[in-house]
Every structure is written in C-alpha cells, then in structure tokens.
Amino acid sequence: MKFTISWLKEHLDTKASLDEILDKLTMIGLEVEEVVNPAEKLGDFVVAKVVKTEPHPDADKLKLCHVDYGAKETMRVVCGAPNARTDLIGVYAKEGAYIPGGDFILKKANIRGVVSSGMLCSERELELSEEHEGIIELPASAEKKLGKPFAEVAGLDDPMIDVYITPNRPDCLGVRGIARDLAAAGLGRLKPPARPFSEKGLKTCPVKIELKFPKAEADACPVFAGRAIEGLKNGPSPEWMQIRLKAIGLRPINALVDVTNYISYDQGRPLHVYDIARLKGTVRARLGAKTGKPEEFTALDGNVYKAGPDMTVIADDNGVLGLGGVIGGEDSGATEQTTGVLIESAYFDPVRTAKTGRRTNIISDARFRFERGIDPQSVMPGLDYATDLILEICGGTATKAALAGSPPDPKHTIKFDCDQVERLTGVKLKTGEIKKILKDLGFKIDGKGEKVKVTAPSWRPDIDGAADLVEEVIRIAGIDRVEPEPLPRRHGVSRAVLTPGQIHTRRTRRVLAGRGLTEAVTWSFIDRDEAKLFGGGGDELELANPMSSEMSSMRPGLLPGLMSAAKRNEDRGRADVALFEIGQAYRGTEPDDQYNAASGIRTGSANVSGSGRHWDIESKDVDLFEVKADVSAVLESLGLNPGNIQITRDASTWFHPGRSGVFRLGPKIILAEFGEMHPATMSAMDIENKTVGFEIFLDNMPRGKRRSSRSKGALDISDLQSVTRDFAFILATDVDAGEVVRAARAAEKALISDINVFDIFEDESLGENRKSLGLEVTLQPRDKTLTDPEIEAIGERIVAKVAKATGGQLRG
Amino acid sequence: MGKAVLPSTSDLTTLETDILQEIAEAHDLNALENTRVAALGKKGRISALMKTLGQMAPEERKAFGQSVNKIKLTVSEALDMRKADLAHAAMSERLATERADITLPVRPGALNDGRIHPVSQVMDEITEIFADMGFSIAEGPEIETDDYNFTKLNIPKEHPARQEHDTFYLADRDDGTRLVLRTHTSPVQIRTMEANDPPIRVIAPGRVYRCDSDQTHTPMFHQVEGLVIDEDTHMGHLKWVLEEFAKSFFEIDNVEMRFRASHFPFTEPSMEVDIRYSKRGDELRIGEGDDWMEILGCGMVHPKVLEHVGYDPKKLQGFAFGVGIDRLAMLKYGMPDLRAFFAADLRWLKHYGFRTFDVPTLAGGLSS
C-alpha cells in the first residue's frame, strides 16, 4: 500500500517528522517496506529565469541564454530548445549537477566556440516524463522563487511510503485507515472527513439496479448502490490528483477512472464507473450462468474471460459487463468520450471474490481489497464521495442513488475484561488507557469499569474475540512496554529432551562425518525418472505444481539426491566424493510412510583412509566393504553388535545383486542396505566413477530400554591366558565366510571368545572355484588352563563342524 | 706336589694393569665378554689367584685376599663402564643410520575429512539452547494435510494468508482433499497439542517448503517452531525466551531486538522480531549499526487454535514462534547465498561445514 506524506496529512493533523511516522508505522504493524523521496535526486535543480537571449554566433538553432538563478551573477547557457526565450521561468542545473534522466554529471562545455555554464532542463532530464521537445516552463508565479529547489516549488518534495498491509487489515488499504491508526498511536489527530456529501439529485437514477441471487448464495453481493451522473465532460484529472496517483505508481487515465482509483487508495473503497450510454436495461449483480455456454466478456485488461457459475458477475440485458469486485469490462468502461456514467458501489463477499480471482488469475486493486473484506458501511459514503469528485471535476448532474439490498452487519460485540490485557501481555495498563486506545480506533465501548462490551467498527472484519482486542491495545500502547520475564524452570535439574530416535539421528550424523563423509542437504523433490530408478515416482507423490520437472517427485530415498550431487561434483572435476545425508524420504503420503533415513555414497577412491594417491597408502577404488564399515560403525554406535546381525543378499534393485547386502533383524525389520551401485543405475545416473552406497533406516533401530541404573556392571575378565589357533580351510568360492565362522563357533560355544578372518585368497593351486580362508580362533579358558589334548580336541571339532556345514577341508 | 710359587704383590699390580688394558682395548661387546671370561671366569686369571689363597698362611691370606678382591672390584667396574660405553657407541651408530624424511605428508584422518552441514550444526546449537530452558523436541511429517497446515491453524480456505504461503500441492486425492508440503513447522504445534496434555514446552525443527526461488528464497528451507502452553505464560516470557535465545545463539550480549506488531492467523497478538545489525563489506555485525533485519515471527497462541485441539482457551494460554534456521546460519556464519545450502558442492560444504567433534555445547560456548 503506497501513499505520500502530503496525502497522509490530508487525513492526519500531525507535527511528527518523517522518521517518527515511519518508525510508528512499523511498530504498530504497518511495516514500512520502502520510502522514496523523489526530491532527493532533484536536489541539484533550482528555479531560474532567462533574463536575456542572444543568437549563437555560430549556430542557427542554438541560443545563448543569460540565466538568473537567484545568485549574484547570471550564467551563460547555450540552449537548443525551441521554447527557450527571454522571461521564461524554468529549471536550471549548475555544473557538477547529477542529471538523472541522462545519468551523467554536468560539466562546463564549449559548444561551437561558446562556453556554456550549466543547463536548462527538460522533463526527461529530470525523469519526470518522456517530454524532451522543449525545456520545462514554470508558471510566472515561480519568478518569486528564483534559486529555490525546483522539487519544493513543484510539490515533488513529498516522500512516498510503501507499507506492507497484513491480510487482516483491509481498512489500511486506504490512506484514511492508516491515518486512524497513527492518530490512535499518538501521532496526531484524525481529521474529520473532508467532504460531507449531501444528496443533490432530484431525478431518479435512470438505470435500474437489481440483485438476483439464489437465497443460499445471497451473501455473494448483499448490497449494490448506483448513481448516474449525466451531462459531464470527461478529460484529464486535475493536477493534484495526477501527482498523487503518479507518486504511488498509478498511471492517470481519465478523470472518471482516476476518481475511482483515487478513492480506492484514499478510503480503501473500490468503485466502478460504467459509461451509461453503453448499458442496456437493468444492471444486476448475479452469478454466472449455470447452464449453457459459459458467458464471456472482454475485461479492462484486454483479455477475454469466462464467467463461471460460482462467480459474481455484473450484467445488463446484453450480458456480462464484468466480474463483481474483480474487474470491469472493456466495452462498458468510461472513455474520453463518455458524457454520462453509472457509478457502482457494492459489497462483494471476500471468499467468493478470492476464488474468482484465483481462478481467473486476475490481480486488481479491487480484488485485493474485496477479498480481504472492505467496510460494508462504506457503500453509500463511497458512492457520495465519487459523485462529489466527479461533479467537481467533470461537471454534470447527479441523480438520486439507486440501492439494492442492504449492507451486511455482522456486529462484532465482544465481552471484554480489561484484565485480559495483563493476562496475555504481562503489561499492566490503566483501564482508561485501554478504553482510549479502543475508542481512538473506532471501537464502541458499553459499560463502565473493567468488564465492558466492545463493538468493533464496520471496517474491522478481523476482530472477533478478546485476544484481538488485546492485540489492538498492545500494538498501539507499544510492544516495547512488554518487559522480558524469565520463563520458570520446570524441573529441578536438566534432563534429556531428545527422544531415543533423535539421539540416534544426532549420533549417526557425527559418526558418519567422523568416517570422512561430508553431510549434504539435497532437495526433497527429485526428477520423476530418477525417483522411478529408486522405487518411487508414483502418482500420489507427484507435486501438482513443481518448480520444474527435475523437482517434481517426492524422493523415495536419499540415494538419488546424493548420486546427482556426486555427479555434479564429478562434472566439476571431483572424482572422489564421500557424501551423506540424513532426512525424510517418502514411501507414501501418510505420516507413517514418511521415514527417516541416513544414506551415504562413496565414489572413486574416497575411502575412509583418504582419497587420491599417497606415498604410503595404496590408492584403490572404493568397494562395498567401505560402506559396510560405515553402516557397521553407525550400528555399533547405536548399541548394536554388527558382527551378530543377520546379513542377507536381498538388497534393493538399485544395488549390484552380487555385491550388496542387507542388515536385518528377522524377516521384517531392515536396519540398513549397503553395497556397490548397480551398473544400470550408474549408467542411468550418468556416473562414471565407481560408486558404493548405503541407506540406514533410522526408525527401525531398536530403542534400547532405559535401565533404572546407569551402572556399567562389574568387569568380567579371566586371569587365565587365552590361546589362539589358526585354521586354513579350502572351500568352494561361493561359500561365505560368515557360514564358516558360524560353523566354527558352534563347535565350542563356551570357550571360543573370538573368531577372526585373517586371510582369504584364490589360487589355481587350490583347484577350480576353490578358495582358502584363514581363521584365527581365540579360546578363553574360564576355570582352568587348557591342556594340549583339550585344545587339540576343540580344533578337531571345529574342523568337523566346518566340513559338515560348508564342505570345507583343512588345508594340508 | 711341589710347593707352588705364590704370587707377589707386584704380580697383582701387573695383572690389574694388564686386564684394565685389555678392557680398554675391547672394541665390541664380544671382545669385552672374552676379556671378562679371561679375567673373572671360572678359569680366569683372577679366579686362579683366589685358588692360591688356600695355600697361604692365615695372616698372609687375609691381606692377599683383600688385594685380590680389590682388583676383582676394579675390573668389574671397568667392565661395566666399558660395556656401557660400547652399548652407547653401538646405539649412536645405529641411530645415525636410522633417519626418516619427516617432511613426508601424512593424512590427518577421516575425523578431520568429514563435515557436518551448517543447517544441522545450527539445529544442534538451537537445540542446546532450548534444552537448557526445558524445551523438548517435537517432530512431524513434511507431507501434511491441508487441515494441519492451514485450517487448524486458523487459516480457513480462501483466506488471503494462504496465498502468501506459495504452497506446494500434491495431486488431489479420491476424497477430494489435497495434501501439501508443509509451508511452515507450525502444524507440529497442532500435532503436539493433540498428542499431549499441557503444560507444553517444545521446539520443532525441520524442513519446510514454498514454491519460491531467488537468492534469499529456496523452495525448501528449514524452520524451528517453538511452543509453550500452560496457564500463565505471557508475552513477557516470550520476549525473555527470544532475547535469551538470540544472545546465546549469536554468542554476544548486546543483541538488540525489536518486537513489532504483525499478523499471523494462528497467533494473537502477533509480532515480528528484528535484530539490529550493520553490514561492513560482506560481513554482518549483529548488535550494532542502524539496520534491522527480520529474523522471526511469534505471538500468543490464538484461542481458536487452542479450541481446535480441545484445549480450553479460558484456562490455557501460551506463545509460539517460528525462526528460519537457514537465515540464522547465514547471519551467524556469513554465507551469502541460500541456494548454495542445497547444491551439495563439496567446496562449499568443506568451507562452511563443521567437523564432527565440533559438538555444540553451552559449556563450550556453542561454536567454540
């Protein structure tokens, strides 16, 4: 909402400075977004008079002007403007002045052998208009102001303020509403309405006005007032009005249109004028036709719109003229030739207006106001104000007003206990101050003392409860009067505020970063094709209005985003990428389908020991064991023993089928997947470097039961020396080490404390499809030292168990 | 048996001189050991002398025995010293050959390679501060119903406030309802109150979505919501909590905040909060200067919101606030462009990210 200081002062009697006004606006909830003083860039320009002209000795079209700008000496200026002449009062810029229209600094110039000091300016040079035919001519009265700043003399020294109006304050979409707020906040006095209009019309309005709605939808437009003015002469609006409209960025069109725009911004009251000669029969507000072909009309913006059956239209006997509260029609609008008008002042329902606006995508000042809810009681005052201005500017004769329906009167009367101000804000205000603030804002107060009945003014549709009144009081009284008060501690000592799941998430993040992975945050929406590669891309997870097609599908997991990120880094020359992310992914749209995952990828040689070549560390491509270790580190940190967790080979299809695995607790609970990415996934994602990845399902992690004691329990260690024995088995290559270890462990449950795979190799000497697996078995005696025969016996049992379970034979 | 010739005192002196000479001349530990055996071994020269003692007269024996013992002691000491000298020389010689190139580069290790994203770090910092004030952490889904994201927060359908949210929608469902990507973390207020009895004191950090994109707006960003509900919490408490938070978070005492009236459908009264700052070059200084930057919105929870979750607004009241986490991170750590947060460019992540052991703690001053 834009306005100028002089416009504000039309409604507000104030001595406050610009800064005070700006500060107060912002503090009471009318946030100042921009202040522009057009005089600032015109500071170098002064009023001056051409006292004498001589022809230029060397050029026919140039004149040598002697310019008096209020200083002792006159300046000699070479000027080519056709209107440059003796006695002209114009605008002069000295050497060194900045010329905004040309974006240059004025220097002394030698024009065809004559020195020219300064310049007489055109409107374009001052960025006032595109006018450049001649130099500015000021009225003769300006002669008394030679040397005075031009901006001041021309009334341009009027700062424009742009405030952000929150959706609850339609009353402040008019300058008067803003003035009322400022007055209540102590910045002056609200002036009485400037134009008390009295009905002068004697003739009945020649156009019949009618509301025609089904009963259930009568609230679409409960009141419609009109008045005709005939015998008028349209033309440009007066200069004062044009200056104000231009100052807030509106283009003056003609007096009739400008009057409605002016009142829209002055009072927050949208109006419309119809050329009465173009109306046929009765003008009625109704809904768009429900049956038959949709009604069409050409709007003021030049576009053709269809009026839907839910939209409020204004129509005459020929059809739709415009959309009520949104936009008028091109054919029935006021033009320079218009000699008679019908002024429309109505109330359109905010919800229906908003829907119509959204559906047609029309953005207009009228829609903006009606959908926020204008003052229903402004129908007649608005009509009268417009009548008055049009009669003054365009002449003509006004008829009586025609009125259909009556304004809605949703009386917002609230029982209010003044104590509620202190209860909600903590600030103790005197009852008198509370009541004064409310009264200044237009509220009506019934009753005496603390407990009263408060009725909101008709222009405040947002007020419907005591909390609203408290807000009015505290914002006007000043939020800076609220004193900070410590929030009392709820518990004696601090205690955990994170859930076990949140603790898991935080720990996982630090563990992964500790393994050299860098945390990324990637978009939650990805390309649909990529989503499909990772088991997603279903219709229910598609955005209806994505930013772009690459950001349209809610991600089924975190790996696609990380792989795209790796690809982008790869394209920048980073071959070794180790990234992880923790966040939500989506199997469906229900809250339970949105799960928390921690995923990571490693590409190229981004091993935990570092990446790239090193004099002491062999550089090798990442493999699945690198990410198995990542997952294991996380599981371990969350209190699990990864060595004891079941691993199966059924990882998702985007992993390499032979080089991937799943950590699981039983058939249902999947803790994590890890492995090399499937070659097909790699080529679909266009990634060259070898890539391994994992996804950890954080929600599936068992939540350890909180024990009553934090004690770690006694340390149980044996004084007896442990014994290690090595075994090398020859096995078929497709026998997994896990099976062998499991078989060996089963041979002696009590004494075997650890089995370590220390060696694995394949060699022709072992036979085709055979491999050798070396196990280091640690035996921890509990009661007595083991004798050699005992150890021997355990060894034999291990060999037998392994042979039985896997077919493995002890290597000779 | 003939009478043995008994050694004289001068013989002893010669013997001592000879042995000491040999010790001095032993050039390695082997030679020294040979010398020792030749002198003190069972068949050694000194041992041989001891054997002659038995043939001496008692008075002679005593004096001679003392002399021999003295030589034995002197020789032993000389052997020990020589042994130490030789060991030392051998060690010096060995060490002289054992020289490493200490300028060769090493890898500081994974612990220093990885990084925590600034958004996570700042979330941890925020959590630390509010945990100290007794807040717990609440969470909610990012795909929300219209009801939770808007209606229950007192933003009815067709309300102009909805247009300001630039909402992402999912496809229409069979029952005609529409799901949205939550446009703010405020739905977690509703979910928390529905699931818990008062008093409530929570924060809810998380991702939120708006279809908007420029240097300071991205279609995805992060917020943290705060909610306190009990019987007597008022705006003074709200102001205190936010001021304490800002001081702790920015780690400076003179953070100046400006509370000004505003409007949110789910709070009443509503406020926006600015902090004082100045800009020097690219660097923002919090707490000084003449400019104000908006950092959060807040207010007293609207009675209708309380009613929607079955709380009695006559008995219960409290406040809520919402802060942009990314914005806070930019202010504190000086990132110029929000879009880079989500580009996963390793160069950016390495520069603005945090090491794994940089765990924010109040005891450690959050970021130090």
Side-chain angles (χ1 to χ4, degrees), chain A residues 168 424-425 460 462-472 474-475, chain B residues 154 235 262-271 298-305 318-320:
Chain A
N168 60 324
L424 279 180
T425 67
R460 292 300 300 270
D462 58 310
I463 304 287
D464 70 351
D468 297 295
L469 299 178
V470 172
E471 175 170 87
E472 292 308 299
I474 195 65
R475 77 180 176 90
Chain B
N154 196 30
M235 278 167 70
S262 188
H263 169 75
F264 304 105
F266 38 96
T267 50
E268 188 86 48
S270 302
M271 287 163 287
C298 61
M300 299 299 291
V301 177
H302 199 291
K304 283 191 182 161
V305 173
F319 62 74

Side-chain angles (χ1 to χ4, degrees), chain A residues 349-482:
Chain A
D349 172 56
V351 171
R352 195 177 294 269
T353 310
K355 268 192 195 166
T356 302
R358 216 155 32 81
R359 214 104 58 74
T360 55
N361 230 347
I362 296 169
I363 293 164
S364 68
D365 284 335
R367 171 193 168 188
F368 197 75
R369 285 163 175 73
F370 278 114
E371 70 184 6
R372 282 162 174 73
I374 60 136
D375 179 359
Q377 297 297 338
S378 70
V379 170
M380 286 315 293
L383 185 67
D384 290 347
Y385 192 7
T387 306
D388 204 19
L389 279 176
I390 292 173
L391 288 176
E392 180 187 310
I393 298 164
C394 305
T397 316
T399 69
K400 283 184 181 159
L403 180 69
S406 60
D409 188 16
K411 273 239 163 26
H412 294 296
T413 301
I414 298 155
K415 281 188 196 159
F416 186 59
D417 182 343
C418 293
D419 274 354
Q420 278 167 298
V421 172
E422 190 182 0
R423 184 181 162 222
L424 279 180
T425 67
V427 182
K428 177 83 188 142
L429 292 180
K430 292 215 170 78
T431 312
E433 185 179 0
I434 293 170
K435 288 182 180 173
K436 179 174 187 312
I437 288 170
L438 291 173
K439 277 182 191 159
D440 286 349
L441 290 171
F443 290 80
K444 203 165 128 269
I445 297 174
D446 292 313
K448 293 207 154 54
E450 298 265 298
K451 294 190 170 65
V452 290
K453 276 186 183 168
V454 178
T455 305
S458 57
W459 56 80
R460 292 300 300 270
D462 58 310
I463 304 287
D464 70 351
D468 297 295
L469 299 178
V470 172
E471 175 170 87
E472 292 308 299
V473 170
I474 195 65
R475 77 180 176 90
I476 297 297
I479 292 173
D480 50 356
R481 287 163 75 176
V482 176

Side-chain angles (χ1 to χ4, degrees), chain A residues 489-554:
Chain A
R489 253 189 193 285
R490 276 218 311 232
H491 320 294
V493 292
S494 66
R495 54 182 199 188
V497 300
L498 299 176
T499 62
Q502 289 160 348
I503 292 169
H504 283 178
T505 302
R506 279 162 70 112
R507 194 169 291 166
T508 299
R509 176 175 291 120
R510 302 272 163 189
V511 167
L512 292 175
R515 291 185 52 81
L517 294 143
T518 290
E519 188 186 14
V521 176
T522 69
W523 305 113
S524 300
F525 17 65
I526 60 173
D527 186 278
R528 189 169 196 175
D529 289 339
E530 284 178 11
K532 282 179 178 166
L533 281 178
F534 291 82
D539 287 341
E540 65 163 355
L541 287 168
E542 275 298 290
L543 291 178
N545 55 336
M547 296 292 289
S548 69
S549 65
E550 294 90 53
M551 301 169 95
S552 70
S553 283
M554 297 311 290

